[in-house]
Amino acid sequence: MNPNILQTPIDYLKGVGPGRADLLRKELGIHTYQDLLNFFPNRYLDKTRFYKTAQLERTSSEVQIVGKITHLKTVEQKRGKRLVADFVDDTGKMELVWFRGHKWIRENLKINTPYVIFGKTNWFNGMFSMPHPEMELVEEYKKQLRTAMQPVYPSTELLAKKGVSNRVINKIMQQLFAETNGKFYDTLTTEIREELKLIPKAEAMFNVHFPKSQELLAKAQFRLKFEELFYIQLQLLIKNMLQKKKIKGFVFDQIGENFGDFYKEHLPFELTNAQKRVIKEIRSDLGSGAQMNRLLQGDVGSGKTIVALMAMLIALDNNFQACLMAPTEILSIQHYQGLKELCSELNVSIYLLTGSTKTKKRREIHEKLENGEIDILIGTHALLEDKVKFKNLGLAIIDEQHRFGVAQRAKLWKKNTLPPHILVMTATPIPRTLAMSLYGDLDISVIDELPPGRKPIKTVHRYDSNRLKVFRFIKEEIQKGRQVYIVYPLIQESEKMDYKDLMDGYESIAREFPDNQISIVHGQMKPADKDYEMDRFVRGETQIMVATTVIEVGVNVPNASMMIIESAERFGLSQLHQLRGRVGRGAEQSFCILMTGHKLSNDSKTRLQTMVSTNDGFEIAEVDLKLRGPGDMMGTQQSGVLNLKIADIVKDNDILKTARYHALQILKEDPDLASEKNAVLKFTYAQLVKHKNIWNYIS
Ligand SMILES: Nc1ncnc2c1ncn2[C@@H]1O[C@H](COP(=O)(O)OP(=O)(O)OP(=O)(O)O)[C@@H](O)[C@H]1O
């Protein structure tokens, strides 16, 4: 079949017409035949099963029943009349209800004649009822040929009023198959199809829209999901390969004094194997001649900072500058202090630039940066300002990338003739398969090992009613010289209620702990006040820090060994894990107490149980992903992975892995897809790139 026919505008399809075409375009994004073909049902009504009235449950959704109407009556109600029929089968009775169209129904319904009815049931007044059922006489029902599973297309229920009901989509879909003959060329090679026992494309398309049986529907869905994920992976892998070919990078082939000295003489501890492995991966990127674009994932406290420093030292050894950008002022300062300390024995000049750097200092930094007197510049997004010009920026490290957009990442590139190498660090663990899809253009390194000697944080869940015991425990810890975080949810900083909760909490803690000093930090404070309070806690002048989630990212106070999270049920799992990561950073046993009321949803219970049972960020991320779907995961908003037409990145994880494996094997053997057997892949890939249809979400 000529694939171009699929590019025909939807207006040309018989039965569509200008009005519907407009609706299809505007409401469903269907512009062409191909768009319509790729508009997949999101569920199917199983019309193979018949229920008996006695089998109905309150949770049953759509059901099909055979029975007779024995009696019809009109019931007066406040907002008009209701027509109610008693419907009986050999096991019991239910009601059918109509709120409109009474006259027609009265005239046409046959009493005591067998009907097949279909619809949603409600439990009302101690009886099951079905409003506005689909009805057909059994006699008629038997005469017709029908597909077992009836597809339901997304949003058609909402659009039905405007004239695009499910039935309409069904009809025009039939028309589409008739006009195109339904003979879609196969987009996968025979080799893949045979290996994975995939059904042909045409058969898959037909069965996804008009399933002949459950079994064929499952096969059709598997084949199409595989194909969708396969082409995404193929595209990501090709993009990554091209990037490496096209984007030349500075070659850092020297390992000189800075790196060598530091490694041999000034390492404050032995590196973990994971840190060593990641440094090796980075070194190999930096020497390869292509620009490095690497994502460094490491759980909270896994030791990313030292890896970042060692990468920067390689840049310096090759006479380049490096910079490190963090999302907040506090974090920049912390990185600055930490790195200065680590480099105290080296001859390296490190500067800090943030929004609050004074003008005079700022000028000095600008100047020194341009003439190469600064080796490492650390700061917030102030580093992105046009005035900040490097002499030769060789490596840019970005901490916590989800706070910076992709566009900002690109801005750093423009600071040079050649783009600097980029290392993105994140403490938000993203399950590997998701990361592969989200950051396909970045290579991924993972620090999956914590430094030795860490005691796992003990996490417990306590109800508000046990608060006094919790307070007693806090007192004991403070007496041992430790510090405590108490965190309140302040998700919407503007929400007055949250703010009030925080202030009430602060007051009750001040009353409960009259002998202790308390810091308070929240988003409505001026940055300078925030820093002042934070600083007092960091220096150990205050014992308790009452805060909102502003402390979530990266704050490092090793003496703080206890974290209380108030209304813990209101936090997402990843966020709870990030918060908990603020403790357990020193040698002492640390604790995390999750406080909640007694009323908890099932999801909240799962979140709390997960936190109590594991400290592993990746495990937590997997659960989080299952609970929330990828939409809410940090950073995924920019990626468009959600625009998948048929596959589900979470549920179809195994298919995703298989798809990636096959895409990788094929490209390894035939990177340009030049061989005869891969011709179909090359052709399809070119079509996808050209028409940007379902794959246009990967920029
Ligand atoms: N190999 C190691 N052995 C012992 N201690 C280490 C090792 N690596 C790092 N550390 C220490 O562990 C602590 C956490 O390291 P670091 O701050 O780099 O973590 P991180 O990965 O940046 O975590 P976060 O994202 O939570 O800030 C630091 O005090 C650091 O000195």
Side-chain angles (χ1 to χ4, degrees):
M1 193 188 83
N2 172 10
N4 285 334
I5 194 175
L6 291 181
Q7 301 309 324
T8 314
I10 197 70
D11 312 58
Y12 292 91
L13 192 63
K14 218 173 125 196
V16 171
R20 277 186 186 157
D22 258 4
L23 271 175
L24 289 173
R25 267 191 293 268
K26 277 196 204 120
E27 306 289 339
L28 300 172
I30 296 173
H31 296 258
T32 62
Y33 283 19
Q34 173 140 41
D35 294 338
L36 181 63
L37 192 64
N38 290 332
F39 183 55
F40 297 118
N42 57 351
R43 64 196 177 100
Y44 296 83
L45 302 178
D46 183 358
K47 292 212 170 174
T48 51
R49 173 161 182 198
F50 284 90
Y51 281 77
K52 295 281 182 193
T53 49
Q55 289 172 322
L56 293 176
E57 287 172 22
R58 289 188 206 186
T59 49
S60 318
S61 48
E62 279 115 340
V63 294
Q64 183 168 244
I65 309 172
V66 178
K68 294 174 187 170
I69 291 175
T70 53
H71 181 73
L72 203 56
K73 64 179 180 244
T74 306
V75 181
E76 294 282 345
Q77 58 181 43
K78 265 190 215 152
R79 272 186 269 139
K81 285 180 191 162
R82 193 157 45 111
L83 189 64
V84 180
D86 291 338
F87 185 79
V88 299
D89 64 3
D90 48 10
T91 64
K93 184 173 120 176
M94 66 183 291
E95 287 182 342
L96 309 182
V97 186
W98 291 267
F99 300 97
R100 1 170 243 282
H102 298 178
K103 186 162 175 270
W104 189 90
I105 293 161
R106 271 194 182 281
E107 282 166 10
N108 289 280
L109 265 191
K110 296 196 167 132
I111 305 286
N112 286 325
T113 317
Y115 273 101
V116 179
I117 63 160
F118 182 86
K120 270 191 192 148
T121 54
N122 294 325
W123 176 252
F124 184 67
N125 271 352
M127 163 96 81
F128 281 104
S129 66
M130 187 184 286
H132 292 265
E134 280 178 32
M135 302 188 65
E136 201 166 18
L137 287 166
V138 169
E139 207 182 300
E140 295 294 319
Y141 179 89
K142 282 186 183 154
K143 284 187 202 155
Q144 286 173 32
L145 191 76
R146 54 191 66 246
T147 52
M149 315 287 297
Q150 191 177 308
V152 180
Y153 291 90
S155 24
T156 47
E157 275 150 358
L158 284 173
L159 283 177
K161 274 194 199 134
K162 296 184 180 172
V164 184
S165 65
N166 208 47
R167 213 170 274 189
V168 167
I169 296 278
N170 225 302
K171 258 192 169 155
I172 62 174
M173 201 64 88
Q174 279 181 34
Q175 184 61 32
L176 176 74
F177 274 76
E179 271 187 36
T180 55
N181 236 341
K183 288 197 179 119
F184 308 109
Y185 76 101
D186 212 297
T187 37
L188 292 174
T189 61
T190 328
E191 210 176 3
I192 301 180
R193 270 173 34 214
E194 281 177 359
E195 198 177 331
L196 294 169
K197 299 199 174 63
L198 301 175
I199 60 173
K201 171 87 167 204
E203 204 181 333
M205 276 301 183
F206 184 83
N207 275 287
V208 92
H209 291 295
F210 311 102
K212 286 188 191 149
S213 67
Q214 281 273 21
E215 196 193 343
L216 271 169
L217 172 62
K219 283 190 176 161
Q221 285 175 321
F222 183 80
R223 142 94 215 208
L224 295 172
K225 284 176 179 183
F226 175 84
E227 178 174 350
E228 184 171 40
L229 295 169
F230 172 81
Y231 275 104
I232 288 174
Q233 292 304 323
L234 198 71
Q235 181 157 1
L236 286 171
L237 291 166
I238 290 176
K239 197 172 161 195
N240 191 303
M241 275 170 21
L242 287 180
Q243 191 167 305
K244 286 201 174 128
K245 258 195 225 157
K246 253 197 334 222
I247 305 180
K248 294 254 176 307
F250 302 116
V251 182
F252 294 172
D253 49 7
Q254 316 224 14
I255 291 299
E257 241 175 73
N258 289 313
F259 185 92
D261 266 13
F262 185 76
Y263 194 76
K264 275 187 233 122
E265 308 192 9
H266 305 301
L267 263 185
F269 36 67
E270 188 166 345
L271 296 176
T272 61
N273 285 331
Q275 284 168 323
K276 283 186 199 157
R277 187 189 63 235
V278 170
I279 291 171
K280 228 188 226 165
E281 286 165 354
I282 293 172
R283 261 178 72 174
S284 134
D285 281 2
L286 296 178
S288 74
Q291 184 210 16
M292 172 171 80
N293 268 293
R294 192 167 274 282
L295 175 71
L296 172 57
Q297 282 196 47
D299 207 345
V300 279
S302 61
K304 293 182 288 294
T305 316
I306 196 112
V307 172
L309 172 64
M310 296 185 75
M312 291 197 276
L313 294 180
I314 300 177
L316 307 194
D317 279 342
N318 288 272
N319 297 318
F320 282 93
Q321 294 165 303
C323 71
L324 192 162
M325 191 160 77
T328 63
E329 181 135 6
I330 294 171
L331 275 179
S332 316
I333 296 171
Q334 220 169 268
H335 275 308
Y336 172 71
Q337 287 166 344
L339 291 179
K340 264 202 99 100
E341 202 179 310
L342 284 169
C343 294
S344 57
E345 303 289 324
L346 301 179
N347 186 18
V348 172
S349 90
I350 306 181
Y351 278 77
L352 174 73
L353 178 70
T354 70
S356 40
T357 307
K358 297 271 181 316
T359 316
K360 199 170 144 218
K361 185 80 184 169
R362 194 175 280 261
R363 278 209 200 105
E364 180 198 331
I365 290 177
H366 289 165
E367 227 180 276
K368 286 192 165 162
L369 203 58
E370 267 196 272
N371 60 32
E373 285 172 62
I374 293 179
D375 295 319
I376 295 177
L377 183 63
I378 294 167
T380 53
H381 45 261
L383 299 196
L384 295 173
E385 283 166 14
D386 290 338
K387 277 192 192 141
V388 179
K389 295 197 182 86
F390 291 82
K391 182 173 177 221
N392 52 3
L393 178 64
L395 168 68
I397 300 186
I398 307 173
D399 193 6
E400 292 292 337
Q401 95 137 155
H402 55 268
R403 312 252 162 157
F404 297 107
V406 173
Q408 282 172 312
R409 218 198 304 160
K411 232 177 165 182
L412 276 171
W413 287 32
K414 303 206 178 94
K415 293 198 175 280
N416 263 343
T417 42
L418 273 187
H421 295 291
I422 305 267
L423 180 68
V424 176
M425 302 199 294
T426 174
T428 310
I430 305 164
R432 198 170 177 88
T433 41
L434 181 60
M436 285 184 317
S437 306
L438 293 179
Y439 303 102
D441 57 333
L442 299 180
D443 294 308
I444 299 172
S445 289
V446 182
I447 307 187
D448 50 6
E449 184 185 351
L450 288 182
R454 290 274 169 84
K455 292 197 183 96
I457 301 162
K458 283 192 184 149
T459 303
V460 292
H461 169 211
R462 292 284 177 266
Y463 292 108
D464 290 336
S465 45
N466 275 333
R467 188 170 293 279
L468 286 181
K469 261 196 190 157
V470 173
F471 280 156
R472 231 176 290 143
F473 190 33
I474 299 178
K475 277 181 193 152
E476 283 167 20
E477 285 299 294
I478 292 178
Q479 261 161 20
K480 288 188 206 154
R482 316 264 182 277
Q483 288 164 284
V484 180
Y485 292 104
I486 304 180
V487 181
Y488 285 82
L490 199 57
I491 294 150
Q492 298 279 324
E493 297 271 339
S494 61
E495 275 181 17
K496 277 191 190 142
M497 279 302 289
D498 281 341
Y499 184 66
K500 189 173 169 298
D501 282 354
L502 174 79
M503 284 313 180
D504 287 353
Y506 174 73
E507 275 165 29
S508 83
I509 286 160
R511 268 196 311 274
E512 197 67 35
F513 296 87
D515 306 329
N516 296 120
Q517 299 297 317
I518 305 171
S519 286
I520 180 162
V521 171
H522 58 81
Q524 295 182 350
M525 286 163 73
K526 288 203 192 98
D529 296 341
K530 234 194 273 182
D531 287 349
Y532 172 77
E533 287 287 316
M534 202 71 128
D535 202 44
R536 290 205 310 147
F537 188 67
V538 172
R539 281 191 275 119
E541 288 172 19
T542 56
Q543 292 78 47
I544 301 175
M545 159 70 79
V546 175
T548 60
T549 49
V550 289
I551 59 144
E552 178 187 333
V553 208
V555 177
N556 194 13
V557 183
N559 189 46
S561 64
M562 190 164 195
M563 161 133 324
I564 318 289
I565 303 179
E566 294 286 348
S567 306
E569 77 279 8
R570 289 180 53 193
F571 293 88
L573 248 184
S574 295
Q575 207 180 10
L576 287 173
H577 179 64
Q578 284 285 317
L579 283 169
R580 178 170 62 179
R582 299 308 106 216
V583 297
R585 304 174 84 85
E588 303 308 327
Q589 175 63 56
S590 291
F591 302 92
C592 173
I593 303 182
L594 307 167
M595 304 291 301
T596 73
H598 278 277
K599 241 185 167 176
L600 293 171
S601 70
N602 283 341
D603 271 11
S604 304
K605 280 183 199 153
T606 310
R607 287 200 295 271
L608 297 167
Q609 275 157 11
T610 309
M611 284 295 290
V612 170
S613 66
T614 180
N615 270 301
D616 180 336
F618 283 92
E619 210 178 311
I620 287 172
E622 296 274 359
V623 179
D624 201 23
L625 192 59
K626 286 206 177 98
L627 285 179
R628 294 198 295 170
D632 288 336
M633 299 276 298
M634 288 174 178
T636 53
Q637 298 89 326
Q638 340 168 343
S639 76
V641 153
L642 301 174
N643 296 346
L644 289 176
K645 294 266 178 201
I646 188 161
D648 178 315
I649 203 100
V650 182
K651 291 189 196 125
D652 300 320
N653 207 279
D654 289 341
I655 309 181
L656 173 67
K657 282 185 202 159
T658 315
R660 185 172 174 91
Y661 171 79
H662 283 274
L664 203 62
Q665 292 309 312
I666 287 167
L667 288 174
K668 256 191 200 158
E669 201 184 287
D670 182 11
D672 299 318
L673 302 176
S675 71
E676 182 67 26
K677 68 174 181 184
N678 289 332
V680 65
L681 300 183
K682 190 171 182 138
F683 176 76
T684 311
Y685 178 71
Q687 293 285 319
L688 298 176
V689 174
K690 186 168 155 207
H691 297 299
K692 293 195 165 176
N693 57 33
I694 53 173
W695 279 265
N696 62 0
Y697 42 83
I698 298 174
S699 62

